[in-house]
Amino acid sequence: QRLAAADEVFARKGDAPPTPGRALDDELDAMLQSTSLSAQPVFDLATRWLATEIGDGCILRLLSEDGQYAPAVSFFDRDPARRGLVAAYLATRIPKVSDLPTAELYEERRVLVEHHMEAPKAASRIPVQFRQYTEDLVAQSLASCTVRAASGDPIGALTLLRQQGGRPYSAEEVELLRHMAGKVEDAIEALVLD
């Protein structure tokens, strides 16, 4: 019922899915051309835009050199209180790839979409010191895209999160996620080439 109501609201408003637009692409391209010492500005702009326009939060994880861990290198959550909580959570935990719900992305799969995540399974991944915040930390849905090196090898994942569920991710939203993952890949490649 809620999904049908949300679809009806979007249809009445005539809202099209968000698009990065020429201005955002121009800003990302300018960063790519002028930044060779750090890809962080591109990472931060991509995660902020995706969280604000499509999801509630967005996390970019890149693999450690040994490929066993996936620390977050950038994240944004549109809720300021949750942003602080997520920052604390990410600062205290560098997960093993095998412990992530997106683990398969670090092997071969390009996009993973889960419109409804099982709450008990997701909650079991929360460390004991953060269990009191489980409701705030557990996402209801996710869409995640592999970030690849120029060689084609997976080196990370860009993940959108929705805390309250709601409508499923559309094909257009998944395509925007892929587009932003491509910009992240361009930023990483620019660092490697310099």
Side-chain angles (χ1 to χ4, degrees):
Q1 254 182 350
R2 287 185 321 171
L3 292 177
D7 287 343
E8 185 178 318
V9 168
F10 284 124
R12 268 184 294 173
K13 290 170 95 180
D15 286 350
T19 60
R22 193 72 246 150
L24 179 62
D25 270 346
D26 288 347
E27 185 175 352
L28 286 165
D29 289 343
M31 284 181 184
L32 288 170
Q33 291 173 7
S34 65
T35 304
S36 61
L37 298 176
S38 173
Q40 196 66 46
V42 173
F43 297 169
D44 293 344
L45 183 57
T47 56
R48 184 180 189 118
W49 188 87
L50 287 165
T52 303
E53 297 298 325
I54 300 175
D56 293 320
C58 185
I59 298 175
L60 171 61
R61 293 183 181 278
L62 295 178
L63 288 174
S64 60
E65 285 188 34
D66 64 5
Q68 297 296 308
Y69 296 91
V73 297
S74 182
F75 86 95
F76 188 81
D77 193 295
R78 69 165 100 188
D79 178 282
R82 194 170 49 236
R83 192 178 317 137
L85 180 59
V86 171
Y89 173 74
L90 293 174
T92 61
R93 184 170 181 269
I94 298 177
K96 282 189 145 188
V97 170
S98 58
D99 293 340
L100 294 169
T102 56
E104 63 197 77
L105 290 173
Y106 297 91
E107 294 171 12
E108 56 185 77
R109 195 168 173 180
R110 181 72 179 154
V111 175
L112 171 70
V113 178
E114 286 193 35
H115 295 296
H116 180 75
M117 294 177 56
E118 298 174 29
K121 186 177 176 183
S124 70
R125 294 186 182 105
I126 305 288
V128 174
Q129 69 267 36
F130 288 96
R131 293 258 164 92
Q132 64 187 348
Y133 306 110
T134 297
E135 189 173 308
D136 293 321
L137 289 171
V138 172
Q140 299 294 315
S141 65
L142 69 78
S144 193
C145 183
T146 304
V147 173
R148 297 185 178 279
S151 65
D153 294 331
I155 56 169
L158 185 60
T159 304
L160 272 168
L161 304 163
R162 285 192 178 140
Q163 300 305 117
Q164 301 303 317
R167 63 184 172 79
Y169 292 101
S170 69
E172 292 85 7
E173 289 169 332
V174 171
E175 191 53 42
L176 290 170
L177 176 63
R178 283 185 180 161
H179 178 76
M180 288 301 199
K183 294 295 185 180
V184 166
E185 291 168 351
D186 291 347
I188 293 168
E189 188 173 347
L191 287 176
V192 171
L193 294 175
D194 276 351

